[in-house]
Amino acid sequence: MDGQDTGLPGGVDVTVASVARMHDYYLGGKDNYPADREACAHLLTRAPSTAVLARNNRRFLRRVVRLLAEEQGIRQFLDHGSGLPAQDNVHQVARRVHPDARVVYVDHDPMVAAYGRVLLEEDDRTAVVRADLRDTAAVLGHPRVAGLLDLREPVAALFVSVLHCVPDEDDPWAVVRRVAGRLAPGSCLVVCQLVSDDPATRDSVTGFMREATRGGWGRVRARHDVDRYFDGLEVLPPGVVEVAQWRPDSEVHPRQPGRELLEYGGVGRVPDDR
């Protein structure tokens, strides 16, 4: 089944699970299909906390965007692997602080790009770009990115719950380093991904997701793998942590039914003396 059969954009195969559509399902969205829901059900048998992780991760995204706008004065955001639109998207959160904030959403999924352009490009200060986040030159050199973002000024580059989709052979750590190297001092990189302290869980979830998405997955990693993303950056308090513990608005948040998987990350600032 392809996009012509379903009325969806070309390149969309709804018979194969999509990470973006699985995340949409966990958040209670409607832009998902039986293959996505079946994959979610199977994943929950391996990692019962997955749905709660998705909700906590969305809260982290909203919180970190607000705090970077308020406390770091950032008015430009580049959201790598943005996924399908949901409630309180990056530009909506940022503009509660800075009404002139500019936001570019980047995703390689054709459905995300098409739906995003309809729902997120509300004005001339937001854009949705279809590009592969692994190709930093193509992302930052895209006319929509270059036209909206001034890389001479601080930018918040977001890699929220996406780098576990990048295989080791594509070096996700180098992706983060390349982006950091192109940004002005005072810019911030927000990075988090799925981790597990149990090697068997890492292997089980990684193997299942690679099969379910037919290669659209990298690896569940260990915490020390995520720590490496912040090499050369000034890590903002409270450090690299489970994301529900990153500057929580309150102590009340959905409790995970298990700790077999964690969303782990933080915020790194590009030093002034670089």
Side-chain angles (χ1 to χ4, degrees):
M1 187 181 298
D2 59 25
Q4 291 181 334
D5 296 323
T6 64
L8 292 167
V12 174
D13 184 350
V14 299
T15 68
V16 177
S18 152
V19 173
R21 295 195 307 264
M22 289 175 68
H23 194 70
D24 175 76
Y25 174 70
Y26 282 137
L27 293 177
K30 299 179 181 179
D31 297 319
N32 50 77
Y33 294 88
D36 310 304
R37 297 190 284 273
E38 182 179 352
C40 286
H42 283 299
L43 184 57
L44 285 170
T45 66
R46 289 170 166 80
S49 60
T50 310
V52 175
L53 279 175
R55 294 193 291 273
N56 279 340
N57 187 67
R58 192 71 192 180
R59 290 180 173 89
F60 167 70
L61 174 64
R62 294 196 296 258
R63 200 162 62 246
V64 77
V65 168
R66 172 173 56 83
L67 289 170
L68 287 178
E70 288 176 348
E71 298 181 6
Q72 300 293 321
I74 292 179
R75 299 169 182 263
Q76 304 183 103
F77 295 83
L78 179 60
D79 188 0
H80 296 83
S82 54
L84 287 159
Q87 289 185 339
D88 259 359
N89 298 287
V90 171
H91 70 286
Q92 294 161 328
V93 176
R95 286 183 185 167
R96 292 188 192 119
V97 182
H98 301 299
D100 61 344
R102 288 166 285 166
V103 178
V104 179
Y105 299 94
V106 177
D107 206 294
H108 76 286
D109 186 312
M111 182 170 166
V112 170
Y115 281 35
R117 287 178 184 131
V118 171
L119 298 173
L120 299 177
E121 289 191 339
E122 297 179 349
D123 51 45
D124 60 4
R125 288 175 285 113
T126 59
V128 178
V129 169
R130 185 181 176 192
D132 190 325
L133 67 83
R134 294 170 292 187
D135 190 345
T136 303
V139 171
L140 296 181
H142 191 283
R144 299 300 302 278
V145 177
L148 269 181
L149 304 183
D150 182 354
L151 300 188
R152 298 168 298 181
E153 298 295 329
V155 174
L158 312 178
F159 294 90
V160 175
S161 201
V162 67
L163 292 173
H164 46 237
C165 298
V166 180
D168 284 1
E169 53 266 32
D170 291 333
D171 202 344
W173 301 277
V175 173
V176 174
R177 287 196 303 271
R178 285 196 298 271
V179 173
R182 294 284 302 274
L183 300 183
S187 295
C188 290
L189 288 92
V190 180
V191 181
C192 65
Q193 76 143 86
L194 289 174
V195 303
S196 177
D197 296 328
D198 176 31
T201 297
R202 291 199 295 268
D203 290 346
S204 173
V205 174
T206 294
F208 171 73
M209 287 299 296
R210 285 179 178 172
E211 180 179 1
T213 63
R214 295 185 189 173
W217 188 259
R219 181 165 66 91
V220 177
R221 297 187 169 94
R223 298 188 198 213
H224 64 82
D225 294 315
V226 177
D227 294 336
R228 289 175 53 199
Y229 291 127
F230 298 92
D231 289 350
L233 301 173
E234 298 172 350
V235 178
L236 301 186
V240 186
V241 296
E242 192 270 314
V243 298
Q245 305 304 319
W246 195 93
R247 307 280 297 276
D249 291 324
S250 75
E251 293 302 314
V252 179
H253 54 78
R255 299 297 178 182
Q256 294 181 205
R259 301 281 290 179
E260 71 290 333
L261 281 182
L262 297 172
E263 192 81 37
Y264 182 73
V267 180
R269 184 179 182 274
V270 177
D272 293 330
D273 58 357
R274 188 184 63 186

